[in-house]
Amino acid sequence: MSHALELVLRTVSVLAAFLVLPLLVGQTEHKVMAHMQGRLGPMYAGGFHGWAQLVADGVKFVQKEDITPRDADRPVFKLAPAVSLVPYLVALAVIPLSPTVVAADVDASVLFVLAASAVGILGTLMAGWSSANKYALLGGMRAAAQLLSYELPIVLATASVALAAGTVSLPGIVHAWHPLWLLWQAPGAFCFLLAAVAELQRPPFDMPVADSEIVFGPYTEYTGLRFAFFLLSEYAGIVVMSLLFAVLFLGGWHGPFADTIGWVWTLLKAAAVAVVVIWFRVAWPRLREDQLQRLAWLVLVPVAIAQLALTGVLVVVTS
Amino acid sequence: MSSNQTDPGSPAPKGRGAIPGLIKGLATTARTLARPSHTAEYPDAQPHLPPRSRGVIALLEENCTSCMLCARECPDWCIYIDSHKETIPAPTPGGRERQRNVLDRFAIDFSLCMYCGICIEVCPFDALHWSPEFEYAELDIRDLLHEKERLGQWMPTVPPPPALDPGAPEPAEVAAANKPPRAARPARPATTVRPQPPAAQGDA
């Protein structure tokens, strides 16, 4: 009985985190972008510092008409937002905030997280394919090409960390973590961060949704709440990737008083990473399609492979 | 690991390289983040306009003599003036009656006006003035035709003219009023013999 209760409790807490953290990131993005661009627009709704901006956005999305194009592949079209959103919930369940604060303690959690977060991409492809719209199809194809290219650096950089720690379990990696890793694994961390931003199709890697050329890419035909789900999945993706970065490269819950407030450290580190991701969006121009592919194959993949080789050599030499 | 140049601009343009530019971009946005924005929150906070800003044209009706100079000089032909003449009886018995213009209609169509201010410049009697009020937008373009009553209502919003520079000469009216009366002309001596003009010749 208590086992079932614990299961429900863990599920509910993951669900709560999944509903709160992306909104927190969204709110942060509104405010940070507004400050960085010297704008006052998002500072207006609700009074103090525009706290009600997200509420207003939500109300707006709910009011919109829910449209399905006549020629669309209806079941696929309607399923796509869920397919892009749910995998991040699954991934969030196995990311440990501290040795004790983890919803599901899986052994090969690194593999599990990578596999789960890669499924989210499928939603974008489904949306692009089923919309019966050339712009959406083009955006979907771009998304497919981009995700294919950038999955590789993510996996290689993660493999390097797993190799260094000698385990594929996220808590195990954090246990093996040492501050020197910040230097040693820095190239891999950089690859991971850039590839993660690309994986989320956020600027400067938002070629698939380039609104000036292909309207809004795979999401062209989406309206109202379904569109909002795609946006939400982007922010959920930021949460998952930031937490993953914090756990893999920044030492998760390591810090003063790690025994009691370790999960706060993880959250703080992830928040810092999320702010950096937002910062990239404001500061950098969008990459052209060919530049995007060049960066992946000629820079990120070689650097990640070199990192992997270095890690392998050092692990063999020191053990 | 010197090949750690993994910034997204890296098919770098020849020469400078993309990395410094990207870092500069990050620095610029971070600086902007730390500074408050300088946006004027207009509907909430009124702007501080300079006293000579051109908002709307006000009419001081008493000063207008319907001389039509403003209407003639207006490049847009947006000033409409109607007037008639009235006869004023002579103030003294046996004197001459006088006529004066009475203004019937003075209207400015602000949907045509281009705010050049020529009418104000040319008005000889200071009947037209700039007011800094600018919030008179209308939903119907026809409501931008301001008749003389509405133009007169802008008059209290006209700021007082700026003070003269310390070294400036007195205004013409003041200078004229302060001028000492002209001394009486000395009487012409009676003995002067006016030279006779020579007789005209051959002008028949």
Side-chain angles (χ1 to χ4, degrees):
Chain A
M1 181 59 204
S2 78
H3 191 70
L5 189 70
E6 192 187 335
L7 194 70
V8 168
L9 201 68
R10 282 169 185 266
T11 312
V12 167
S13 52
V14 167
L15 204 61
F18 185 69
L19 292 178
V20 170
L21 291 180
L23 294 183
L24 219 58
V25 172
Q27 185 80 353
T28 312
E29 177 168 45
H30 268 309
K31 303 309 166 193
V32 168
M33 269 183 81
H35 279 298
M36 282 184 169
Q37 297 171 336
R39 289 185 295 125
L40 290 178
M43 303 292 173
Y44 200 80
F48 173 71
H49 216 252
W51 62 269
Q53 181 62 43
L54 272 195
V55 181
D57 281 348
V59 170
K60 186 186 76 178
F61 279 128
V62 170
Q63 283 174 338
K64 303 264 177 176
E65 188 185 1
D66 185 21
I67 297 173
T68 309
R70 197 188 56 204
D71 292 337
D73 190 342
R74 297 183 77 89
V76 180
F77 185 85
K78 292 192 168 176
L79 202 60
V83 172
S84 80
L85 188 58
V86 172
Y88 289 119
L89 172 65
V90 176
L92 199 64
V94 299
I95 297 181
L97 296 184
S98 80
T100 48
V101 184
V102 53
D105 200 356
V106 186
D107 280 342
S109 44
V110 171
L111 294 178
F112 188 86
V113 168
L114 287 180
S117 62
V119 173
I121 306 318
L122 205 58
T124 310
L125 297 185
M126 286 165 66
W129 183 257
S130 65
S131 287
N133 179 321
K134 290 195 181 78
Y135 295 114
L137 184 60
L138 202 56
M141 290 299 114
R142 283 181 174 183
Q146 175 169 333
L147 305 169
L148 219 60
S149 312
Y150 282 90
E151 198 65 46
L152 203 53
I154 285 195
V155 173
L156 286 175
T158 314
S160 160
V161 178
L163 188 62
T167 170
V168 285
S169 140
L170 285 172
I173 288 176
V174 182
H175 278 305
W177 189 81
H178 186 270
L180 269 182
W181 283 29
L182 284 177
L183 280 178
W184 180 32
Q185 298 291 336
F190 217 63
C191 282
F192 183 92
L193 186 59
L194 287 182
V197 175
E199 196 85 334
L200 299 171
Q201 299 166 32
R202 282 181 57 82
F205 305 100
D206 62 338
M207 205 66 214
V209 290
D211 55 346
S212 52
E213 303 131 53
I214 48 176
V215 192
F216 215 73
Y219 316 131
T220 305
E221 295 291 351
Y222 282 88
T223 54
L225 272 183
R226 290 181 203 282
F227 183 74
F229 278 150
F230 275 119
L231 288 187
L232 189 64
S233 72
E234 184 179 321
Y235 292 112
I238 297 180
V239 169
V240 167
M241 287 300 178
S242 305
L243 279 172
L244 205 55
F245 189 84
V247 168
L248 287 178
F249 295 100
L250 301 181
W253 53 83
H254 284 298
F257 312 110
D259 294 335
T260 47
I261 58 160
W263 58 278
V264 176
W265 282 114
T266 313
L267 280 183
L268 278 180
K269 288 170 182 176
V273 176
V275 169
V276 169
V277 169
I278 294 168
W279 193 6
F280 286 170
R281 172 176 180 177
V282 183
W284 290 348
R286 175 186 295 148
L287 261 70
R288 217 169 45 215
E289 183 69 23
D290 61 317
Q291 294 172 334
L292 196 118
Q293 296 294 342
R294 279 178 67 93
L295 176 69
W297 292 106
L298 295 184
V299 180
L300 291 190
V301 170
V303 170
I305 289 177
Q307 171 74 67
L308 192 60
L310 176 79
T311 309
V313 168
L314 275 180
V315 165
V316 170
V317 166
T318 51
S319 62
Chain B
M1 281 306 119
S2 63
S3 64
N4 182 23
Q5 304 286 307
T6 49
D7 273 296
S10 318
K14 297 278 180 290
R16 293 288 303 279
I19 311 300
L22 290 173
I23 292 173
K24 210 169 148 188
L26 288 176
T28 304
T29 44
R31 252 199 322 276
T32 317
L33 173 76
R35 270 199 309 252
S37 70
H38 300 291
T39 312
E41 298 182 58
Y42 155 58
D44 296 335
Q46 287 298 314
H48 295 289
L49 295 172
R52 293 175 67 188
S53 51
R54 301 181 166 192
V56 70
I57 296 169
L59 171 71
L60 189 60
E61 202 184 326
E62 302 91 281
N63 279 7
C64 181
T65 60
S66 321
C67 67
M68 303 291 287
L69 274 180
C70 52
R72 288 199 307 186
E73 297 294 332
C74 177
D76 290 338
W77 295 77
C78 67
I79 300 179
Y80 306 97
I81 298 177
D82 288 338
S83 65
H84 67 273
K85 283 188 192 293
E86 272 182 7
T87 306
I88 304 175
T92 51
R96 190 161 62 89
E97 286 180 338
R98 300 209 169 196
Q99 285 191 320
R100 78 180 173 102
N101 287 329
V102 176
L103 193 63
D104 293 330
R105 177 185 188 221
F106 192 105
I108 298 179
D109 192 345
F110 283 105
S111 66
L112 296 177
C113 177
M114 64 179 195
Y115 302 87
C116 64
I118 291 178
C119 52
I120 296 166
E121 297 285 329
V122 300
C123 180
F125 302 104
D126 282 347
L128 294 172
H129 301 270
W130 276 121
S131 158
E133 294 293 314
F134 59 95
E135 292 171 310
Y136 52 98
E138 299 282 356
L139 292 175
D140 190 335
I141 196 170
R142 288 169 293 189
D143 295 336
L144 284 172
L145 180 64
H146 289 195
E147 296 293 339
K148 66 179 177 193
E149 292 77 23
R150 181 120 191 242
L151 290 172
Q153 283 167 9
W154 295 119
M155 209 50 219
T157 65
V158 173
L164 290 175
D165 285 343
E170 292 174 310
E173 305 88 350
V174 178
N178 289 346
K179 210 153 100 177
R182 202 168 1 175
R185 195 186 291 175
R188 192 178 284 139
T191 56
T192 308
V193 177
R194 191 168 292 181
Q196 292 295 315
Q201 299 175 1
D203 58 344

